[in-house]
Amino acid sequence: MIGTYGHGTENDFVLIFDPENRVEITAAQVRAICDRKTGIGSDGFIRIGKDGEKWFMDYRNADGSIAEMCGNGVRVYARYLTELGHATLDEGQTLAIATRAGVKDVQRNLAGFAVDMGRWKLEPKELLVHADG
């Protein structure tokens, strides 16, 4: 298992490379790793795994909870893969990364990496603003 630290648009992440999906990590372990006082310290934890032939982003919040994905994290994930030669991403191409929120397409641009997050939608039970009076 290889681990590293990444930063994207003021979010920081601990990443581990696990393409064979051998690493089992608990919520308590993620909390300990992400703790800024006693651990490495980060906003989230990313396990770089595989889902069949696609790369899979196993994202955890700093509190150890499982999340669908993270926009800044998926860009850091793509940079890791391309910098270390695990994937290629030429200008105009996309790199498909599987997440719990579906497959996200990442593109390289002059500023770095951009991800298509899909269309925004408001779930019926969610409130944008609640104000009394």
Side-chain angles (χ1 to χ4, degrees):
M1 173 178 60
I2 298 171
T4 193
Y5 180 84
H7 181 275
T9 317
E10 299 195 30
N11 287 130
D12 55 349
F13 308 95
V14 171
L15 298 94
I16 60 166
F17 187 67
D18 182 30
E20 294 165 353
N21 301 321
R22 292 184 178 164
V23 176
E24 299 271 339
I25 188 124
T26 67
Q29 289 170 320
V30 171
R31 280 192 303 275
I33 290 166
C34 294
D35 189 287
R36 294 201 183 272
K37 292 181 182 172
T38 59
I40 295 169
S42 67
D43 293 315
F45 180 90
I46 300 170
R47 189 183 60 81
I48 299 170
K50 287 280 211 121
D51 181 13
E53 292 300 311
K54 284 192 175 84
W55 290 103
F56 176 72
M57 177 183 180
D58 177 10
Y59 182 72
R60 314 292 176 104
N61 293 310
D63 66 2
S65 62
I66 294 174
E68 288 187 340
M69 64 99 49
C70 172
N72 288 333
V74 78
R75 294 183 310 108
V76 170
Y77 186 112
R79 173 127 191 228
Y80 178 92
L81 290 177
T82 57
E83 289 288 318
L84 295 180
H86 299 295
T88 58
L89 187 56
D90 296 325
E91 190 171 330
Q93 291 184 323
T94 60
L95 173 63
I97 298 176
T99 73
R100 290 184 184 90
V103 175
K104 301 301 176 186
D105 291 321
V106 181
Q107 288 188 318
R108 186 186 298 263
N109 61 31
L110 294 175
F113 295 87
V115 61
D116 180 358
M117 299 288 286
R119 290 184 177 220
W120 176 86
K121 63 183 176 186
L122 179 63
E123 297 296 331
K125 295 180 182 179
E126 293 181 28
L127 293 175
L128 288 178
V129 177
H130 176 75
D132 293 330

